[in-house]
Amino acid sequence: RGQRDQPALKVALQAMAESFQTKDGQLLGIPNDSVRDVISKHNLGFIQHSDFNPLVCRPLTHKGTKGECSQDSSCVIAHKKMPQQQDLPEAVAAEPTIKLKLFGIGFKKTGTTSLDSIFHYVMDHMGGSRPPDSERVRAMNNLMRGEDPTGALTLAEKHHYFQDSPWCNEPQRLYRQLVSIYPTSKFILTVREPNKWYNSVRESNKCPSKNGKICGERKMEKYRDIFNANSTSREDFISAFEEHNLAIRDFFLRELKQPDRLLE
């Protein structure tokens, strides 16, 4: 996307690089320097946002002004340059394209919705599936009630792409089990500047004038349980956020000794 929007999406692009194919083999216009740098560094191709699910270009709010994603905007998706299917050896071309599972384990409001939009595009073009939101939320609630993670692990067995809760939940840290169950899986840690992250969490949980959903402090308390924070204060949320990210890095680098399975 543009320079100010989720830089963590580069994580997802790299994680899925080997599964992408170019749409028509042509490199379209590059809208800004930030995208150009990514393409150059990682040898990525480029597809304009109009080729993608509209969810990728959902309306954004920045400093109180609403900006619509349009044909002239810089909302983009990049992919690894790969040979066309017809150019591959017959035996290779016949193999299933989905060979691994991708788990987004970053906290809420770190780009998880955008990551999910990318997963939707991959499913449309390469196959595979993600858990339905209703089943994902049910597994999350079961985990938060102290039940065993059977529901979440069952979803992991059935599908290929995952993000948000329960995969990011503390202190359950499902990724510690998933790395062994699926030895070829990759894990995407989406991150964000801590204070901006907290502001986004707080803003997203405000109660509109008429809304039957949980919101406000009740929603913040639910997030507190997901993040395993001591309170909903800025200090405690950010402390939990930084501890979560540090624990993940430490696990893959020092304990598991497989840093290549973590993308950040």
Side-chain angles (χ1 to χ4, degrees):
R1 286 191 173 194
Q3 215 162 9
R4 293 175 300 185
D5 199 23
Q6 308 293 353
L9 286 181
K10 287 186 285 186
V11 173
L13 301 178
Q14 294 177 54
M16 292 182 285
E18 293 185 0
S19 296
F20 275 104
Q21 279 186 271
T22 56
K23 185 177 178 64
D24 54 15
Q26 296 183 357
L27 184 66
L28 302 178
I30 301 173
N32 59 40
D33 290 339
S34 62
V35 176
R36 185 179 292 106
D37 290 343
V38 174
I39 291 174
S40 176
K41 181 177 180 180
H42 300 291
N43 189 32
L44 298 174
F46 171 74
I47 298 179
Q48 288 180 323
H49 64 79
S50 57
D51 294 325
F52 285 76
N53 187 307
L55 288 174
V56 174
C57 293
R58 69 190 192 282
L60 304 175
T61 300
H62 182 68
K63 294 183 178 179
T65 60
K66 186 176 181 180
E68 299 288 344
C69 195
S70 68
Q71 294 290 333
D72 298 323
S73 71
S74 58
C75 185
V76 301
I77 294 295
H79 60 88
K80 192 72 175 177
K81 292 180 179 177
M82 293 188 68
Q84 295 294 316
Q85 189 78 5
Q86 63 267 23
D87 298 329
L88 296 174
E90 184 175 350
V92 174
E95 292 180 358
T97 55
I98 306 301
K99 298 180 181 180
L100 56 79
K101 294 179 185 285
L102 298 174
F103 293 92
I105 54 177
F107 272 172
K108 291 174 174 290
K109 309 310 295 181
T110 59
T112 55
T113 301
S114 298
L115 180 59
D116 190 46
S117 297
I118 295 176
F119 288 163
H120 273 284
Y121 174 78
V122 178
M123 288 189 296
D124 289 343
H125 291 74
M126 304 299 295
S129 62
R130 60 182 283 284
D133 286 337
S134 59
E135 295 183 20
R136 179 184 63 79
V137 171
R138 187 181 303 116
M140 175 192 72
N141 290 334
N142 290 344
L143 206 62
M144 293 175 66
R145 284 195 293 265
E147 299 180 14
D148 65 54
T150 301
L153 296 179
T154 299
L155 290 181
E157 182 180 2
K158 293 179 179 178
H159 303 283
H160 304 87
Y161 311 111
F162 312 87
Q163 51 81 38
D164 212 315
S165 182
W167 322 108
C168 70
N169 277 40
E170 290 280 352
Q172 292 87 357
R173 298 182 178 180
L174 293 179
Y175 60 84
R176 298 179 69 92
Q177 298 181 54
L178 295 168
V179 291
S180 300
I181 299 173
Y182 306 106
T184 62
S185 58
K186 298 283 187 179
F187 295 81
I188 303 170
L189 175 60
T190 46
V191 296
R192 194 172 184 179
E193 194 281 319
N195 279 293
K196 291 182 178 179
W197 168 75
Y198 180 80
N199 292 342
S200 181
V201 171
R202 176 64 73 176
E203 182 68 25
S204 69
N205 287 327
K206 283 184 176 179
C207 289
S209 56
K210 294 182 180 180
N211 192 332
K213 296 181 179 180
I214 296 176
C215 60
E217 285 305 313
R218 289 181 63 197
K219 188 67 172 288
M220 289 293 288
E221 282 294 329
K222 186 170 185 177
Y223 275 32
R224 181 187 66 80
D225 290 340
I226 292 173
F227 302 153
N228 197 34
N230 292 328
S231 75
T232 61
S233 70
R234 179 182 296 270
E235 180 181 2
D236 284 342
F237 260 45
I238 288 179
S239 177
F241 176 70
E242 293 179 332
E243 182 178 342
H244 173 78
N245 296 339
L246 182 63
I248 288 173
R249 295 176 187 126
D250 188 70
F251 172 72
F252 282 92
L253 178 63
R254 295 180 177 84
E255 186 176 339
L256 191 65
K257 293 181 169 46
Q258 296 181 13
D260 58 314
R261 294 183 66 185
L262 175 68
L263 300 109
E264 179 179 351

